Amino acid sequence: MRPQMAASAYARPALGFPEKVCENLYLEESPVDPKRPVALFKIPGSLKKTETASNVRGLFQADGHAGGKVLIPHGTSVATFDPTTDAVSALTGSIAGTDRCDFAVSQTEAAILANSAVYISNGTAIAIATDVDFPTGITSIASIGQRLLMSAADGKFWYTSVLDFDDITALNFYTAELKPDDLVAIRVFGADILLFGTRSIEWWMQTGNDDDPFAWQNGRAIDVGALCRDSIANLDGVPYFVAHDRTVRRIRDGSNAEVISNAGIAKALESVAASDVIGGTYSYHNHVFYVLSMPTITYVYDVATSEWHRAITNEEDFWRWVFFVRAGAKNFVAARADVKFAELSKTYLSDYMADASTMGTEIVARTNCFLPVTEGEVDVVSVRLEVSHGIGLATGQGSDPVALMRMSKPGDPNNFFASRSRSLGVQGKINQKTIWWRCGRATPPGATIEFSISDPIDLVISGAAVNED
């Protein structure tokens, strides 16, 4: 028997139903093996790059600004990180507040929204905007056509002059047309300007007329709002966000905000404050991920497979990384309410390694499968995990990696016996088999079999076999 391995994470909607577990693993197609069309791969680890003096407030990078350096707002300072040399410096000047920052860039300037005020940088320094006509209560910023765009909570969005983020008049604003709802954020996706309200989303565009530079796109709008600014992410020009009804949605055809969350994710969103939800994105090995971070849980959506998995930092129920930025071929990350800044890569076999050879926090990969039973009893004589073998490290932890297996008790697919370990094989021992014998019995509705591996190895799981040995 080959019970299907969980390739996604799904919290049970009611007691008595088995949960699908897929933690620190993502799905990958396996076209070379028709019997095993998919496999589970371990998520990337990370290498420490620097630690800031205060908690990080966001990550931003643009190739045309500050020589392509990553900007790291923290406390009242803005650090810079050079992705080619790892050099750490700082912009001259300071910002106010402790809130999460927003970012926009033109050909010559960058703007950071901090403490509801706009700060402008030329790449070496940063200072608050000086034009007295700047609005108050700014909720987000973006840029298009070399102008800075700003949304305000009262439903207006403002714009500056071309190539001058610090030049605005008291009449440089428009008002969202569809509903009298507050504006949560303004975002640019390709040539489209999207106004995210609390109950609606509108499409605007550039007109090419300097006296009247923007217009509503032929009344394009939908009756779906955004829960919060920081849940909105741009995945290759496609908006992903948490909607006002606490579902996760994306807009692919310009007229429909399709729901991509499942019941477990929506339930988790119902229990958190809007201000605690952060959406980010990173890409790796042909996969583009939307990372949905909450204070106590993290879900990750894989655009390539349309599946969710959970990312978890060892000894926590959530992933520490919430801010993401890509510079060239590298992904950089920073932690929520923390000072940690790191590079994310599968080159690193554990999390937040001090250097390339010193192991950091373990990345525990965990998945399960369900063996359905409709009547009677099934003796589970053997369970074999189909996984990478002979990939142990030369020395230290991981030189003889092991997998843990536990099976649920009869009649209760969520109540488990104790785990038992089996070797995955030392380095080069590719003929190793990982089998557990005399595992018990399964009764209706069935048995959940769970596997976990914590050793620092870059493993691949392709399935499980029951009673085939």
Side-chain angles (χ1 to χ4, degrees):
M1 291 180 285
R2 290 183 172 273
Q4 185 176 359
M5 191 71 71
S8 62
Y10 188 86
R12 64 183 184 271
L15 293 176
F17 287 83
E19 292 188 339
K20 293 175 68 175
V21 173
C22 188
E23 295 174 357
N24 292 337
L25 294 164
Y26 65 91
L27 185 66
E28 179 77 79
E29 292 185 356
S30 180
V32 297
D33 189 347
K35 291 184 178 180
R36 301 168 183 83
V38 296
L40 296 173
F41 284 63
K42 196 173 180 180
I43 67 170
S46 58
L47 178 69
K48 173 185 175 181
K49 288 299 181 179
T50 189
E51 292 190 349
T52 53
S54 305
N55 289 345
V56 176
R57 301 171 61 182
L59 292 181
F60 313 109
Q61 190 272 346
D63 291 343
H65 180 72
K69 295 182 178 68
V70 178
L71 301 188
I72 315 173
H74 64 98
T76 59
S77 300
V78 180
T80 63
F81 175 84
D82 190 326
T84 60
T85 65
D86 287 2
V88 179
S89 187
L91 299 180
T92 303
S94 63
I95 58 177
T98 59
D99 58 334
R100 289 193 290 273
C101 297
D102 207 14
F103 176 80
V105 66
S106 72
Q107 184 177 337
T108 58
E109 299 171 297
I112 292 180
L113 177 65
N115 202 39
S116 299
V118 172
Y119 294 79
I120 300 173
S121 169
N122 61 2
T124 59
I126 191 164
I128 195 167
T130 59
D131 195 310
V132 296
D133 289 323
F134 262 88
T136 59
I138 302 171
T139 58
S140 71
I141 58 175
S143 64
I144 193 170
Q146 309 298 337
R147 299 178 190 266
L148 179 66
L149 308 180
M150 296 162 281
S151 66
D154 61 1
K156 296 185 178 71
F157 80 90
W158 300 72
Y159 61 93
T160 67
S161 300
V162 175
L163 288 175
D164 191 347
F165 281 1
D166 201 359
D167 182 36
I168 190 171
T169 75
L171 298 178
N172 280 23
F173 71 88
Y174 293 87
T175 302
E177 303 289 345
L178 178 64
K179 289 182 179 293
D181 53 346
D182 294 339
L183 277 185
V184 175
I186 187 168
R187 289 291 183 258
V188 173
F189 296 87
D192 293 327
I193 303 165
L194 268 64
L195 303 184
F196 289 84
T198 58
R199 289 293 185 272
S200 66
I201 300 173
E202 297 181 13
W203 277 254
W204 285 61
M205 63 182 180
Q206 297 185 93
T207 64
N209 181 350
D210 285 344
D211 295 325
D212 190 15
F214 302 106
W216 193 11
Q217 286 190 29
N218 300 319
R220 288 179 64 196
I222 54 176
D223 288 319
V224 175
L227 179 68
C228 56
R229 179 195 75 188
D230 292 335
S231 75
I232 305 168
N234 186 338
L235 279 71
D236 298 331
V238 176
Y240 284 68
F241 64 102
V242 177
H244 71 278
D245 59 359
R246 296 180 184 259
T247 57
V248 183
R249 300 185 182 231
R250 67 180 170 194
I251 305 173
R252 290 196 294 183
D253 60 6
S255 61
N256 179 40
E258 64 174 318
V259 177
I260 61 170
S261 52
N262 59 45
I265 295 172
K267 183 178 180 180
L269 283 165
E270 289 170 0
S271 63
V272 298
S275 59
D276 285 332
V277 179
I278 305 173
T281 179
Y282 78 97
S283 57
Y284 203 83
H285 286 182
N286 207 43
H287 293 258
V288 180
F289 300 102
Y290 173 70
V291 183
L292 175 63
S293 300
M294 293 169 270
T296 60
I297 195 167
T298 303
Y299 285 100
V300 184
Y301 183 78
D302 186 350
V303 177
T305 62
S306 300
E307 296 283 7
W308 290 91
H309 64 267
R310 285 187 60 190
I312 295 176
T313 297
N314 191 26
E315 299 181 353
E316 304 287 356
D317 287 330
F318 58 89
W319 205 23
R320 64 161 53 103
W321 307 122
V322 299
F323 302 119
F324 302 84
V325 71
R326 188 173 182 91
K330 296 180 179 180
N331 289 294
F332 295 100
V333 291
R336 180 194 294 262
D338 207 334
V339 298
K340 296 180 177 64
F341 174 80
E343 180 188 350
L344 195 70
S345 172
K346 286 178 71 70
T347 301
Y348 312 116
L349 298 176
S350 60
D351 189 38
Y352 208 57
M353 297 168 62
D355 54 62
S357 59
T358 302
M359 292 301 166
T361 305
E362 292 178 347
I363 300 173
V364 182
R366 192 162 71 103
T367 186
N368 68 1
C369 56
F370 184 67
L371 180 67
V373 177
T374 57
E375 60 181 7
E377 296 181 355
V378 175
D379 289 327
V380 182
V381 178
S382 66
V383 174
R384 184 178 76 248
L385 179 63
E386 296 180 335
V387 64
S388 308
H389 290 113
I391 57 172
L393 303 183
T395 60
Q397 182 186 0
S399 58
D400 188 6
V402 299
L404 298 177
M405 185 278 293
R406 63 176 186 169
M407 194 172 87
S408 63
K409 296 179 180 179
D412 188 349
N414 298 301
N415 187 11
F416 292 87
F417 290 109
S419 298
R420 294 187 289 159
S421 65
R422 291 292 184 271
S423 174
L424 301 181
V426 298
Q427 192 172 98
K429 193 175 182 180
I430 60 174
N431 60 346
Q432 175 79 37
K433 288 188 175 181
T434 303
I435 304 176
W436 292 263
W437 299 97
R438 303 168 69 176
C439 300
R441 58 190 175 89
T443 61
T448 303
I449 304 171
E450 183 183 279
F451 306 95
S452 63
I453 302 170
S454 61
D455 286 298
I457 53 174
D458 190 15
L459 59 91
V460 179
I461 299 174
S462 57
V466 175
N467 292 347
E468 289 191 359
D469 295 277

